[in-house]
């Protein structure tokens, strides 16, 4: 289902992947610095989630400024929260690369507004290829938002990602106060390409990881 979400004086293009049965939880998904919501990895994940009963709303926001993208993400969250068509108990924010930075930044912002009732609506964060540092610039970590987050976080990263060195992400994770899990895709680079494996094969691994983590976190709440 294609929708246009009002954002300032513009619109954000977005697409709902809707499960057959009514979904109680959703995932909002966005792309990295390049590309848009039709990036193959996002298409694959959205289709997988919808076929497993999780509503997925993916959107395009072209700005290369993290603050701008964070604002766009907030607009999409509010749009979904007020949607009459899809009444959800909660959503998980998910992004690829720069999109995951915007999602982390938004969650931190919302958690600092104590009077905000968004806290209960956002249930967790999914970071696909989180860009922890620029290539070869390991001294400058983009970890400030992650250290403030309290909701569950899943990282799916390639063990050969030139923007997310393994020990560095593990170090940041150990300092995080949030419940977190890291799933390493063996030998994958920042674009999740692995020599000798097809994209579909890698995506199957990623999609299954994301879904099982979502299920664990939603089930925990129902107990």
């Amino acid at each position: 289902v294609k929708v246009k979400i009002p954002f300032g004086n513009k619109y954000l293009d977005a697409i709902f992947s809707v499960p057959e049965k009514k979904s109680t939880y959703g995932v909002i998904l966005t792309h990295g610095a390049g590309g848009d919501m039709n990036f193959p990895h996002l298409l694959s994940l959205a289709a997988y989630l919808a076929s497993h009963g999780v509503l997925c709303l993916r959107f395009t926001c072209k700005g290369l400024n993290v603050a701008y993208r964070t604002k766009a993400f907030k607009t999409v969250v509010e749009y979904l929260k007020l949607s009459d068509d899809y009444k959800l108990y909660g959503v998980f924010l998910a992004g690829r690369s720069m999109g995951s930075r915007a999602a982390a930044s938004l969650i931190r912002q919302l958690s600092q507004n104590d009077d905000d009732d968004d806290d209960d609506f956002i249930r967790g964060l999914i970071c696909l290829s989180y860009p922890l540092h620029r290539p070869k610039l390991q001294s400058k970590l983009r970890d400030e938002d992650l250290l403030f987050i309290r909701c569950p976080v899943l990282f799916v990263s390639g063990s050969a990602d030139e923007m997310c060195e393994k020990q560095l992400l593990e170090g940041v994770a150990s300092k995080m106060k949030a419940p977190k899990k890291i799933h390493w895709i063996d030998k994958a680079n920042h674009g999740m390409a692995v020599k000798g494996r097809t994209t579909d094969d890698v995506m199957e691994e990623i999609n299954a990881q994301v879904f099982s983590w979502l299920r664990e976190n939603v089930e925990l709440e129902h107990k």
Side-chain angles (χ1 to χ4, degrees):
V1 182
K2 284 187 179 176
V3 288
K4 286 200 175 287
I5 298 175
F7 178 49
N9 54 1
K10 291 191 294 215
Y11 286 90
L12 297 170
D13 286 316
I15 293 183
F16 279 102
S17 301
V18 186
E20 283 176 19
K21 290 212 293 265
K22 192 173 168 308
S23 182
T24 47
Y25 289 91
V27 170
I28 299 178
L29 183 59
T30 193
H31 54 89
D36 57 20
M37 65 182 171
N38 296 320
F39 187 72
H41 293 185
L42 303 194
L43 285 172
S44 171
L45 179 57
Y48 185 93
L49 291 174
S51 70
H52 287 74
V54 179
L55 179 83
C56 187
L57 171 58
R58 59 184 205 279
F59 71 95
T60 295
C61 176
K62 289 288 197 183
L64 288 186
N65 169 317
V66 173
Y68 176 77
R69 300 236 358 215
T70 303
K71 224 160 92 179
F73 218 130
K74 184 169 198 230
T75 302
V76 177
V77 170
E78 280 162 3
Y79 171 85
L80 186 55
K81 196 175 181 181
L82 299 172
S83 156
D84 289 330
D85 300 333
Y86 309 104
K87 294 258 182 270
L88 298 176
Y89 295 139
V91 294
F92 292 83
L93 304 191
R96 198 193 110 61
S97 191
M98 187 183 185
S100 63
R101 279 184 73 197
S105 162
L106 174 58
I107 291 177
R108 176 189 177 175
Q109 269 179 28
L110 294 175
S111 68
Q112 286 171 330
N113 302 347
D114 291 334
D115 55 338
D116 214 332
D117 60 350
D118 281 341
D119 278 3
D120 293 343
F121 190 60
I122 294 177
R123 299 299 173 93
L125 169 65
I126 299 163
C127 297
L128 307 173
S129 295
Y130 187 84
L132 187 59
H133 52 79
R134 293 200 166 134
K136 302 192 172 60
L137 253 184
Q138 286 86 337
S139 55
K140 288 193 171 160
L141 293 187
R142 299 160 169 164
D143 59 355
E144 54 290 340
D145 292 323
L146 298 175
L147 300 176
F148 281 91
I149 290 174
R150 294 280 186 279
C151 63
V153 182
L154 171 68
F155 293 97
V156 180
S157 281
S159 67
D161 185 338
E162 60 283 11
M163 296 178 74
C164 186
E165 206 170 276
K166 199 164 182 237
Q167 301 96 300
L168 293 176
L169 183 61
E170 283 170 349
V172 169
S174 69
K175 288 187 281 193
M176 286 169 65
K177 298 178 178 75
K180 67 275 172 185
K181 179 179 180 187
I182 306 178
H183 179 77
W184 293 105
I185 304 287
D186 193 37
K187 300 189 180 67
N189 66 9
H190 188 64
M192 290 292 182
V194 183
K195 278 197 178 110
R197 286 181 73 181
T198 63
T199 307
D200 287 350
D201 182 38
V202 174
M203 283 315 299
E204 268 174 39
E205 180 181 341
I206 294 172
N207 296 346
Q209 278 297 322
V210 169
F211 179 67
S212 70
W213 178 84
L214 283 172
R215 211 170 44 186
E216 281 163 29
N217 281 287
V218 174
E219 276 173 7
L220 294 177
E221 289 172 353
H222 289 314
K223 281 176 187 164

